[in-house]
């Protein structure tokens, strides 16, 4: 599925857009509970992965690269490098359902995406690779 | 009509949202060209009102935006802004909001243009931006 920016996160992003608040930096995380994110999803609804050598990924503001689309197409901001988790076997087999991004300053969920199919992590060397991308377009 | 965020505005807002750039105050200005906002617009697409008849561009101070979420739609609202003219400034077709020399969004007055003829004529704009998923 595409990313969901929950309502509380839309408010945060509008504050960042208008300069009412300034984002500090971002953290990319994986979640392991079987949830379908929607407008009302908050951080507490997501269970972060803790096994298989998992660690969070810091995303620096400066590393997002935004490009304008062609006329009438959305602007897209993409992180400048794919983010790769290489797992261990510690903790056995675990299912990862998707990823989410939090903002360091306010600590809140900013956006979340469910993988089209869940990924099972079981063996040393298993990988999940994500390139964070967000688009903005008028309706 | 509703406001239009052109391609350059989307880029600007994405960079602000992600902290790629340090935000600064936005500027609110009237335009006098008979322009219908479109995706490919830039600030130079519009003829801004000249600094005559008591008109000035207005600064929208970052801290003064009020952002709320109602029924899952987030909106940023700024206090109503008023221009009081001192003479015949002519037709005002709409307003633009820009960040330095970069256009962020534009809106053509739905019932415009408003022809400013007299000392004391007023135009009021309340800037509002909403953000919602499609």
């Amino acid at each position: 599925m595409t990313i969901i920016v929950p309502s509380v996160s839309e408010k945060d992003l509008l504050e960042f857009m208008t300069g009412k608040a300034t984002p500090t930096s971002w953290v990319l995380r994986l979640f392991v509970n079987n949830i379908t994110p929607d407008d009302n999803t908050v951080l507490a609804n997501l269970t972060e992965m803790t096994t298989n050598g998992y660690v969070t990924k810091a995303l620096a503001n400066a590393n997002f690269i935004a490009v304008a689309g062609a006329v009438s197409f959305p602007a897209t901001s993409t992180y400048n490098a794919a983010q790769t988790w290489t797992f261990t076997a510690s903790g056995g087999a675990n299912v990862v359902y998707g990823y989410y991004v939090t903002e360091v300053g306010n600590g809140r969920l900013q956006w979340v995406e469910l993988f089209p199919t869940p990924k099972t992590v079981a063996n040393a060397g298993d990988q999940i690779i994500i390139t964070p991308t967000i688009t903005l377009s008028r309706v | 009509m509703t406001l239009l965020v052109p391609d350059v505005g989307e880029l600007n807002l994405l960079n602000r949202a992600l902290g790629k750039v340090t935000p600064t105050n936005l500027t609110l200005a009237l335009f006098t060209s008979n322009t219908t906002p479109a995706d490919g617009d830039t600030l130079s697409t519009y003829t801004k009102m000249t600094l005559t008849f008591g008109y000035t561009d207005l600064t929208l101070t970052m801290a003064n935006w009020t952002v709320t979420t109602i029924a899952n739609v987030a909106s940023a609202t700024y206090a109503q802004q008023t221009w009081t003219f001192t003479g015949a400034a002519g037709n005002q077709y709409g307003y633009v909001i820009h960040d330095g020399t970069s256009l962020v969004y534009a809106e053509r007055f739905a019932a415009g243009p408003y022809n400013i003829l007299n000392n004391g004529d007023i135009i009021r704009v309340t800037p509002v931006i909403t953000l919602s998923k499609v």
Side-chain angles (χ1 to χ4, degrees):
Chain A
M1 67 183 296
T2 57
I3 70 167
I4 293 286
V5 179
S7 297
V8 66
S9 315
E10 290 172 356
K11 179 175 181 289
D12 288 335
L13 292 177
L14 261 184
E15 289 191 343
F16 299 152
M17 288 176 181
T18 58
K20 174 83 174 181
T22 304
T24 50
S25 61
W26 314 86
V27 181
L28 177 63
R29 306 170 189 268
L30 299 174
F31 65 91
V32 293
N33 56 324
N34 188 3
I35 183 176
T36 300
D38 60 24
D39 276 341
N40 297 310
T41 301
V42 295
L43 191 57
N45 298 130
L46 302 169
T47 303
E48 187 171 11
M49 188 176 192
T50 58
T51 58
N52 304 88
Y54 165 84
V55 293
T56 60
K57 301 284 188 184
L59 304 177
N61 300 348
N63 292 344
F64 279 99
I65 308 297
V67 294
V71 172
S72 301
F73 284 85
T76 301
S77 189
T78 303
Y79 204 71
N80 70 349
Q83 301 298 296
T84 301
W85 284 274
T86 302
F87 296 101
T88 68
S90 174
N94 291 282
V95 178
V96 180
Y97 288 91
Y99 74 92
Y100 59 108
V101 173
T102 59
E103 201 273 315
V104 171
N106 62 34
R108 284 191 288 269
L109 173 67
Q110 299 298 299
W111 73 86
V112 55
E113 183 170 8
L114 190 68
F115 293 145
T117 56
K119 312 296 180 191
T120 299
V121 173
N123 306 303
D126 283 353
Q127 288 189 325
I128 290 178
I129 302 171
I130 292 171
T131 302
T133 302
I134 188 166
T135 63
L136 181 68
S137 181
R138 67 183 175 86
V139 292
Chain B
M1 66 185 298
T2 56
L3 67 87
L4 187 136
V5 180
D7 295 331
V8 293
E10 292 172 358
L11 194 63
N12 182 297
L13 292 176
L14 256 187
N15 279 329
R16 284 171 163 254
L18 294 170
K20 174 78 175 182
V21 297
T22 301
T24 56
N25 292 332
L26 298 173
T27 300
L28 173 65
L30 295 172
F31 64 86
T32 59
S33 51
N34 185 3
T35 306
T36 299
D39 279 332
D41 289 353
T42 64
L43 188 56
S44 63
T45 305
Y46 300 83
T47 303
K48 286 174 54 176
M49 174 64 192
T50 55
L51 303 179
T52 56
F53 300 106
Y55 170 87
T56 58
D57 291 350
L58 299 176
T59 297
L60 305 179
T61 303
M62 293 185 290
N64 292 346
W65 287 91
T66 299
V67 184
T68 58
T69 301
I70 300 173
N72 286 336
V73 176
S75 293
T77 304
Y78 203 86
Q80 186 178 73
Q81 301 295 293
T82 301
W83 289 276
T84 303
F85 295 89
T86 60
N91 282 330
Q92 309 298 318
Y93 284 84
Y95 69 89
V96 291
I97 288 185
H98 57 93
D99 181 2
T101 59
S102 180
L103 177 65
V104 177
Y105 67 89
E107 183 170 7
R108 185 181 169 99
F109 294 135
Y114 298 121
N115 191 8
I116 302 300
L117 295 173
N118 305 302
N119 181 16
D121 282 356
I122 287 174
I123 289 179
R124 295 188 177 98
V125 171
T126 302
V128 178
I129 311 171
T130 61
L131 186 65
S132 183
K133 70 182 177 69
V134 292

